[in-house]
Amino acid sequence: MNKGLLIVVSAPSGCGKGTILEEVLKDKNYYYSVSLTTRKPREGEIDGVNYCFVSNDDFEKLISENRMLEYAEYCNNYYGTRNDIIEEMRENGRDVILEIEVQGALNVMKKCPDAISIFVLPPSVKELERRLRKRGTESDDVINQRLAKAIEEMNSADKYNYIVVNNALEDAIADFKAVIKAEKLKADYAKEILDEVIKNA
Ligand code: 5GP
């Protein structure tokens, strides 16, 4: 059995990355890594499903115990991925998706050179602002802070393996799936089946 892929996805908040992933995750072979965060839950968010919501002290304790694969500070809150479950899932053949911001993603790329990285880009900054305001979950201050962060993050998009533009949602979903499909068709990934066919020739 092939080891599962490690797929790192980043996008400025408001890019529609959540909606793309919701569709992709209908395939139950994916394992969505639930992150830890010190940010307060938004309305409708469920602890253990969207995030594990923890205190600053608890987060810093996990860092000091070396139990985070990666973490970052984003808009004054900690966000991070615990390292215990990722490898286990991959060994069991599950494709693991990390939905994380740029700093954490760059760290994962360094630590796990086999990770596949995808940056979801909005069609324009203007459209991103419109989507953020429409969401209506954040104050003007927070929206402006997130927009500034978005522009900063887009400057790192070229460090990713793939860029998916979320203009029309259907197309973005298809592009995302095409990336994963292409990764699984790589000779390296298909080596096991190749060996099997040759052995039985
Ligand atoms: P939000 O507050 O909008 O849910 O997330 C803010 C940012 O934190 C998003 O870019 C999201 O991808 C990122 N994020 C969520 N979980 C993690 C994580 O585990 N690690 C890192 N580095 N970033 C994360």
Side-chain angles (χ1 to χ4, degrees), residues 17 35 39 42 51 70 79-81 99-101 146:
K17 164 189 56 174
S35 299
R39 133 162 117 56
R42 292 194 189 113
Y51 282 106
E70 62 76 33
Y79 293 81
T81 311
E99 181 192 342
I100 63 181
E101 53 67 68
R146 282 182 178 245

Side-chain angles (χ1 to χ4, degrees), residues 7-12 17 21 32-33 35 51 69-72 74 79-81 97-109 118-119 153 160:
I7 305 153
V8 181
V9 187
S10 300
K17 164 189 56 174
L21 290 182
Y32 177 80
S33 162
S35 299
Y51 282 106
L69 171 66
E70 62 76 33
Y71 69 92
Y74 183 95
Y79 293 81
T81 311
I97 296 190
L98 305 185
E99 181 192 342
I100 63 181
E101 53 67 68
V102 169
Q103 214 42 56
L106 295 178
N107 286 334
V108 174
M109 291 179 213
I118 304 175
F119 193 94
E153 289 202 306
Y160 287 64

Side-chain angles (χ1 to χ4, degrees), residues 54-142:
V54 298
S55 67
N56 233 56
D57 283 356
D58 285 350
F59 201 105
E60 286 176 350
K61 186 159 179 274
L62 287 166
I63 297 172
S64 69
E65 290 170 353
N66 226 356
R67 288 165 68 185
M68 305 302 286
L69 171 66
E70 62 76 33
Y71 69 92
E73 266 190 271
Y74 183 95
C75 297
N76 304 321
N77 284 300
Y78 279 128
Y79 293 81
T81 311
R82 285 174 67 142
N83 55 20
D84 41 12
I85 204 157
I86 307 294
E87 263 316 287
E88 185 191 326
M89 288 294 168
R90 294 187 69 196
E91 289 301 335
N92 289 330
R94 304 276 302 273
D95 297 323
V96 175
I97 296 190
L98 305 185
E99 181 192 342
I100 63 181
E101 53 67 68
V102 169
Q103 214 42 56
L106 295 178
N107 286 334
V108 174
M109 291 179 213
K110 244 187 255 150
K111 267 191 177 169
C112 313
D114 62 342
I116 297 147
S117 50
I118 304 175
F119 193 94
V120 181
L121 200 64
S124 66
V125 173
K126 218 175 163 66
E127 173 59 16
L128 181 67
E129 181 173 4
R130 195 191 64 77
R131 290 180 191 175
L132 273 178
R133 295 202 186 281
K134 195 173 137 217
R135 187 159 82 180
T137 49
E138 270 106 6
S139 65
D140 270 4
D141 263 6
V142 173

